[in-house]
Amino acid sequence: KRGKGSKWMVVVDGKGVPLGSTITSTSPHKVKLVDGLMGQIMVPRNGPGRPKTRPKRLIADRAYDSDDLRRKLKQRQIDLICPHRKNRKQPKLQDARKLRRYRRRWIVERTFSWLGNYRRLLVRHENLLSIYKGFFHLACIMITLKQF
């Protein structure tokens, strides 16, 4: 049997331009896939030099609320901004001042809607993941070129 689909994980900048992306099956949880996604990030510099591989902060949805993930990202000096889950047992680790940045989450959702404009990505007809990834990266390139 084939799986139920593919999960898109995209990191975008403040304008919605994709900086890094991965595609995986839908079965693993999002928290377990963050390490692979962090290896894909390339943040361009203002001047000459190699692109940065570590953003200052990561704004994510409620599914990423995990103490282990917060600890790992803090070791890499990345600030995780996401609301806490409602069924959280431990005390909260961030206050409402940091969550003000969460209001900008709509930019990520807008990028997902831009990717949804490419019909080839919505319904996966390809059996090989490599071909589907190629179309996905091509769509990311098209979005990037439209922004500049």
PDB file of all heavy atoms in Angstrom, residues 11-13 19 37-39 41-43 52-59 73 76-80:
ATOM      1  N   VAL A  11      10.498  26.807   5.204  1.00  0.00           N
ATOM      2  CA  VAL A  11      10.925  27.947   6.013  1.00  0.00           C
ATOM      3  C   VAL A  11      10.968  29.147   5.083  1.00  0.00           C
ATOM      4  O   VAL A  11      11.573  29.090   4.010  1.00  0.00           O
ATOM      5  CB  VAL A  11      12.316  27.703   6.636  1.00  0.00           C
ATOM      6  CG1 VAL A  11      12.788  28.919   7.389  1.00  0.00           C
ATOM      7  CG2 VAL A  11      12.275  26.501   7.542  1.00  0.00           C
ATOM      8  N   VAL A  12      10.301  30.236   5.487  1.00  0.00           N
ATOM      9  CA  VAL A  12      10.231  31.429   4.640  1.00  0.00           C
ATOM     10  C   VAL A  12      10.781  32.628   5.396  1.00  0.00           C
ATOM     11  O   VAL A  12      10.885  32.620   6.622  1.00  0.00           O
ATOM     12  CB  VAL A  12       8.784  31.713   4.182  1.00  0.00           C
ATOM     13  CG1 VAL A  12       8.241  30.565   3.382  1.00  0.00           C
ATOM     14  CG2 VAL A  12       7.884  32.015   5.351  1.00  0.00           C
ATOM     15  N   ASP A  13      11.132  33.667   4.641  1.00  0.00           N
ATOM     16  CA  ASP A  13      11.571  34.907   5.277  1.00  0.00           C
ATOM     17  C   ASP A  13      10.354  35.796   5.518  1.00  0.00           C
ATOM     18  O   ASP A  13       9.217  35.362   5.404  1.00  0.00           O
ATOM     19  CB  ASP A  13      12.642  35.603   4.432  1.00  0.00           C
ATOM     20  CG  ASP A  13      12.121  36.106   3.103  1.00  0.00           C
ATOM     21  OD1 ASP A  13      10.965  35.815   2.749  1.00  0.00           O
ATOM     22  OD2 ASP A  13      12.870  36.812   2.409  1.00  0.00           O
ATOM     23  N   LEU A  19      13.153  29.847   1.973  1.00  0.00           N
ATOM     24  CA  LEU A  19      14.592  29.769   2.243  1.00  0.00           C
ATOM     25  C   LEU A  19      15.073  28.331   2.305  1.00  0.00           C
ATOM     26  O   LEU A  19      16.231  28.051   2.037  1.00  0.00           O
ATOM     27  CB  LEU A  19      14.918  30.458   3.568  1.00  0.00           C
ATOM     28  CG  LEU A  19      14.602  31.932   3.668  1.00  0.00           C
ATOM     29  CD1 LEU A  19      14.858  32.424   5.078  1.00  0.00           C
ATOM     30  CD2 LEU A  19      15.405  32.718   2.667  1.00  0.00           C
ATOM     31  N   LEU A  37      15.041  19.861   8.369  1.00  0.00           N
ATOM     32  CA  LEU A  37      14.691  21.125   7.736  1.00  0.00           C
ATOM     33  C   LEU A  37      15.711  22.207   8.043  1.00  0.00           C
ATOM     34  O   LEU A  37      16.028  23.036   7.195  1.00  0.00           O
ATOM     35  CB  LEU A  37      13.298  21.575   8.208  1.00  0.00           C
ATOM     36  CG  LEU A  37      12.742  22.850   7.615  1.00  0.00           C
ATOM     37  CD1 LEU A  37      12.576  22.699   6.118  1.00  0.00           C
ATOM     38  CD2 LEU A  37      11.423  23.187   8.262  1.00  0.00           C
ATOM     39  N   MET A  38      16.259  22.197   9.239  1.00  0.00           N
ATOM     40  CA  MET A  38      17.265  23.200   9.608  1.00  0.00           C
ATOM     41  C   MET A  38      18.534  23.068   8.770  1.00  0.00           C
ATOM     42  O   MET A  38      19.246  24.044   8.564  1.00  0.00           O
ATOM     43  CB  MET A  38      17.624  23.078  11.095  1.00  0.00           C
ATOM     44  CG  MET A  38      16.573  23.570  12.020  1.00  0.00           C
ATOM     45  SD  MET A  38      16.434  25.337  11.863  1.00  0.00           S
ATOM     46  CE  MET A  38      14.701  25.543  12.033  1.00  0.00           C
ATOM     47  N   GLY A  39      18.819  21.873   8.274  1.00  0.00           N
ATOM     48  CA  GLY A  39      19.982  21.686   7.405  1.00  0.00           C
ATOM     49  C   GLY A  39      19.782  22.253   6.012  1.00  0.00           C
ATOM     50  O   GLY A  39      20.738  22.424   5.261  1.00  0.00           O
ATOM     51  N   ILE A  41      18.263  25.261   5.342  1.00  0.00           N
ATOM     52  CA  ILE A  41      18.071  26.716   5.361  1.00  0.00           C
ATOM     53  C   ILE A  41      19.325  27.428   4.864  1.00  0.00           C
ATOM     54  O   ILE A  41      20.440  27.119   5.274  1.00  0.00           O
ATOM     55  CB  ILE A  41      17.729  27.201   6.781  1.00  0.00           C
ATOM     56  CG1 ILE A  41      16.397  26.625   7.205  1.00  0.00           C
ATOM     57  CG2 ILE A  41      17.696  28.716   6.844  1.00  0.00           C
ATOM     58  CD1 ILE A  41      16.032  26.972   8.616  1.00  0.00           C
ATOM     59  N   MET A  42      19.114  28.399   4.004  1.00  0.00           N
ATOM     60  CA  MET A  42      20.163  29.289   3.531  1.00  0.00           C
ATOM     61  C   MET A  42      19.626  30.715   3.605  1.00  0.00           C
ATOM     62  O   MET A  42      18.815  31.127   2.785  1.00  0.00           O
ATOM     63  CB  MET A  42      20.550  28.976   2.084  1.00  0.00           C
ATOM     64  CG  MET A  42      21.182  27.635   1.911  1.00  0.00           C
ATOM     65  SD  MET A  42      22.787  27.638   2.666  1.00  0.00           S
ATOM     66  CE  MET A  42      23.377  26.069   2.181  1.00  0.00           C
ATOM     67  N   VAL A  43      20.046  31.471   4.628  1.00  0.00           N
ATOM     68  CA  VAL A  43      19.602  32.851   4.807  1.00  0.00           C
ATOM     69  C   VAL A  43      20.610  33.755   4.116  1.00  0.00           C
ATOM     70  O   VAL A  43      21.774  33.788   4.506  1.00  0.00           O
ATOM     71  CB  VAL A  43      19.494  33.205   6.311  1.00  0.00           C
ATOM     72  CG1 VAL A  43      19.032  34.632   6.482  1.00  0.00           C
ATOM     73  CG2 VAL A  43      18.560  32.243   7.017  1.00  0.00           C
ATOM     74  N   LYS A  52      23.960  32.438   5.671  1.00  0.00           N
ATOM     75  CA  LYS A  52      23.824  31.929   7.033  1.00  0.00           C
ATOM     76  C   LYS A  52      22.930  30.695   7.024  1.00  0.00           C
ATOM     77  O   LYS A  52      22.003  30.598   6.226  1.00  0.00           O
ATOM     78  CB  LYS A  52      23.207  32.982   7.940  1.00  0.00           C
ATOM     79  CG  LYS A  52      24.091  34.179   8.177  1.00  0.00           C
ATOM     80  CD  LYS A  52      23.469  35.062   9.224  1.00  0.00           C
ATOM     81  CE  LYS A  52      22.895  36.291   8.571  1.00  0.00           C
ATOM     82  NZ  LYS A  52      22.290  37.219   9.497  1.00  0.00           N
ATOM     83  N   THR A  53      23.230  29.765   7.899  1.00  0.00           N
ATOM     84  CA  THR A  53      22.427  28.544   7.989  1.00  0.00           C
ATOM     85  C   THR A  53      21.582  28.519   9.254  1.00  0.00           C
ATOM     86  O   THR A  53      20.968  27.505   9.543  1.00  0.00           O
ATOM     87  CB  THR A  53      23.329  27.300   7.959  1.00  0.00           C
ATOM     88  OG1 THR A  53      24.248  27.383   9.055  1.00  0.00           O
ATOM     89  CG2 THR A  53      24.086  27.205   6.656  1.00  0.00           C
ATOM     90  N   ARG A  54      21.583  29.621   9.983  1.00  0.00           N
ATOM     91  CA  ARG A  54      20.839  29.654  11.231  1.00  0.00           C
ATOM     92  C   ARG A  54      20.064  30.964  11.337  1.00  0.00           C
ATOM     93  O   ARG A  54      20.651  32.038  11.461  1.00  0.00           O
ATOM     94  CB  ARG A  54      21.806  29.523  12.396  1.00  0.00           C
ATOM     95  CG  ARG A  54      21.133  29.396  13.731  1.00  0.00           C
ATOM     96  CD  ARG A  54      22.124  29.236  14.846  1.00  0.00           C
ATOM     97  NE  ARG A  54      22.898  30.452  15.013  1.00  0.00           N
ATOM     98  CZ  ARG A  54      24.212  30.479  15.175  1.00  0.00           C
ATOM     99  NH1 ARG A  54      24.910  29.386  15.169  1.00  0.00           N
ATOM    100  NH2 ARG A  54      24.846  31.618  15.333  1.00  0.00           N
ATOM    101  N   PRO A  55      18.729  30.907  11.315  1.00  0.00           N
ATOM    102  CA  PRO A  55      17.954  32.130  11.501  1.00  0.00           C
ATOM    103  C   PRO A  55      17.941  32.534  12.978  1.00  0.00           C
ATOM    104  O   PRO A  55      18.276  31.749  13.861  1.00  0.00           O
ATOM    105  CB  PRO A  55      16.556  31.727  11.028  1.00  0.00           C
ATOM    106  CG  PRO A  55      16.498  30.270  11.260  1.00  0.00           C
ATOM    107  CD  PRO A  55      17.885  29.754  11.040  1.00  0.00           C
ATOM    108  N   LYS A  56      17.549  33.760  13.254  1.00  0.00           N
ATOM    109  CA  LYS A  56      17.490  34.230  14.641  1.00  0.00           C
ATOM    110  C   LYS A  56      16.321  33.601  15.390  1.00  0.00           C
ATOM    111  O   LYS A  56      16.422  33.263  16.553  1.00  0.00           O
ATOM    112  CB  LYS A  56      17.347  35.752  14.680  1.00  0.00           C
ATOM    113  CG  LYS A  56      18.561  36.486  14.213  1.00  0.00           C
ATOM    114  CD  LYS A  56      18.321  37.971  14.267  1.00  0.00           C
ATOM    115  CE  LYS A  56      19.518  38.716  13.699  1.00  0.00           C
ATOM    116  NZ  LYS A  56      19.287  40.154  13.638  1.00  0.00           N
ATOM    117  N   ARG A  57      15.194  33.498  14.707  1.00  0.00           N
ATOM    118  CA  ARG A  57      14.009  32.946  15.367  1.00  0.00           C
ATOM    119  C   ARG A  57      13.221  32.086  14.382  1.00  0.00           C
ATOM    120  O   ARG A  57      13.320  32.265  13.173  1.00  0.00           O
ATOM    121  CB  ARG A  57      13.149  34.058  15.952  1.00  0.00           C
ATOM    122  CG  ARG A  57      12.535  34.985  14.973  1.00  0.00           C
ATOM    123  CD  ARG A  57      11.906  36.194  15.630  1.00  0.00           C
ATOM    124  NE  ARG A  57      12.848  37.052  16.284  1.00  0.00           N
ATOM    125  CZ  ARG A  57      13.492  38.047  15.685  1.00  0.00           C
ATOM    126  NH1 ARG A  57      13.313  38.269  14.410  1.00  0.00           N
ATOM    127  NH2 ARG A  57      14.332  38.797  16.354  1.00  0.00           N
ATOM    128  N   LEU A  58      12.461  31.191  14.945  1.00  0.00           N
ATOM    129  CA  LEU A  58      11.628  30.291  14.161  1.00  0.00           C
ATOM    130  C   LEU A  58      10.201  30.415  14.684  1.00  0.00           C
ATOM    131  O   LEU A  58       9.933  30.117  15.853  1.00  0.00           O
ATOM    132  CB  LEU A  58      12.131  28.850  14.306  1.00  0.00           C
ATOM    133  CG  LEU A  58      11.413  27.776  13.525  1.00  0.00           C
ATOM    134  CD1 LEU A  58      11.658  27.975  12.042  1.00  0.00           C
ATOM    135  CD2 LEU A  58      11.906  26.411  13.949  1.00  0.00           C
ATOM    136  N   ILE A  59       9.297  30.890  13.843  1.00  0.00           N
ATOM    137  CA  ILE A  59       7.901  31.030  14.224  1.00  0.00           C
ATOM    138  C   ILE A  59       7.164  29.825  13.661  1.00  0.00           C
ATOM    139  O   ILE A  59       7.169  29.591  12.454  1.00  0.00           O
ATOM    140  CB  ILE A  59       7.309  32.342  13.684  1.00  0.00           C
ATOM    141  CG1 ILE A  59       8.076  33.527  14.243  1.00  0.00           C
ATOM    142  CG2 ILE A  59       5.834  32.443  14.052  1.00  0.00           C
ATOM    143  CD1 ILE A  59       7.661  34.854  13.670  1.00  0.00           C
ATOM    144  N   LEU A  73      16.881  23.837  19.857  1.00  0.00           N
ATOM    145  CA  LEU A  73      17.023  25.089  19.124  1.00  0.00           C
ATOM    146  C   LEU A  73      17.734  26.149  19.957  1.00  0.00           C
ATOM    147  O   LEU A  73      18.449  26.987  19.412  1.00  0.00           O
ATOM    148  CB  LEU A  73      15.648  25.597  18.670  1.00  0.00           C
ATOM    149  CG  LEU A  73      14.977  24.767  17.590  1.00  0.00           C
ATOM    150  CD1 LEU A  73      13.599  25.313  17.285  1.00  0.00           C
ATOM    151  CD2 LEU A  73      15.809  24.705  16.332  1.00  0.00           C
ATOM    152  N   ARG A  76      21.365  25.833  19.554  1.00  0.00           N
ATOM    153  CA  ARG A  76      21.809  26.408  18.281  1.00  0.00           C
ATOM    154  C   ARG A  76      21.571  27.909  18.208  1.00  0.00           C
ATOM    155  O   ARG A  76      21.720  28.512  17.155  1.00  0.00           O
ATOM    156  CB  ARG A  76      21.077  25.731  17.119  1.00  0.00           C
ATOM    157  CG  ARG A  76      21.437  24.268  16.970  1.00  0.00           C
ATOM    158  CD  ARG A  76      20.757  23.664  15.790  1.00  0.00           C
ATOM    159  NE  ARG A  76      21.302  24.219  14.563  1.00  0.00           N
ATOM    160  CZ  ARG A  76      20.862  23.927  13.356  1.00  0.00           C
ATOM    161  NH1 ARG A  76      19.874  23.085  13.209  1.00  0.00           N
ATOM    162  NH2 ARG A  76      21.404  24.474  12.300  1.00  0.00           N
ATOM    163  N   GLN A  77      21.131  28.514  19.330  1.00  0.00           N
ATOM    164  CA  GLN A  77      20.850  29.942  19.446  1.00  0.00           C
ATOM    165  C   GLN A  77      19.736  30.395  18.511  1.00  0.00           C
ATOM    166  O   GLN A  77      19.798  31.458  17.902  1.00  0.00           O
ATOM    167  CB  GLN A  77      22.120  30.757  19.213  1.00  0.00           C
ATOM    168  CG  GLN A  77      23.198  30.458  20.214  1.00  0.00           C
ATOM    169  CD  GLN A  77      24.505  31.132  19.873  1.00  0.00           C
ATOM    170  OE1 GLN A  77      24.673  31.649  18.782  1.00  0.00           O
ATOM    171  NE2 GLN A  77      25.422  31.116  20.812  1.00  0.00           N
ATOM    172  N   ILE A  78      18.710  29.570  18.406  1.00  0.00           N
ATOM    173  CA  ILE A  78      17.515  29.897  17.630  1.00  0.00           C
ATOM    174  C   ILE A  78      16.357  30.002  18.608  1.00  0.00           C
ATOM    175  O   ILE A  78      16.150  29.121  19.440  1.00  0.00           O
ATOM    176  CB  ILE A  78      17.225  28.829  16.565  1.00  0.00           C
ATOM    177  CG1 ILE A  78      18.382  28.717  15.589  1.00  0.00           C
ATOM    178  CG2 ILE A  78      15.936  29.144  15.824  1.00  0.00           C
ATOM    179  CD1 ILE A  78      18.270  27.570  14.624  1.00  0.00           C
ATOM    180  N   ASP A  79      15.601  31.070  18.511  1.00  0.00           N
ATOM    181  CA  ASP A  79      14.476  31.302  19.409  1.00  0.00           C
ATOM    182  C   ASP A  79      13.205  30.735  18.779  1.00  0.00           C
ATOM    183  O   ASP A  79      12.796  31.174  17.697  1.00  0.00           O
ATOM    184  CB  ASP A  79      14.343  32.800  19.666  1.00  0.00           C
ATOM    185  CG  ASP A  79      13.379  33.101  20.777  1.00  0.00           C
ATOM    186  OD1 ASP A  79      13.120  32.204  21.594  1.00  0.00           O
ATOM    187  OD2 ASP A  79      12.895  34.246  20.830  1.00  0.00           O
ATOM    188  N   LEU A  80      12.578  29.764  19.435  1.00  0.00           N
ATOM    189  CA  LEU A  80      11.339  29.163  18.942  1.00  0.00           C
ATOM    190  C   LEU A  80      10.161  29.938  19.490  1.00  0.00           C
ATOM    191  O   LEU A  80      10.002  30.083  20.700  1.00  0.00           O
ATOM    192  CB  LEU A  80      11.240  27.699  19.357  1.00  0.00           C
ATOM    193  CG  LEU A  80       9.962  26.968  18.931  1.00  0.00           C
ATOM    194  CD1 LEU A  80       9.889  26.869  17.415  1.00  0.00           C
ATOM    195  CD2 LEU A  80       9.893  25.598  19.549  1.00  0.00           C
TER     196      LEU A  80
END
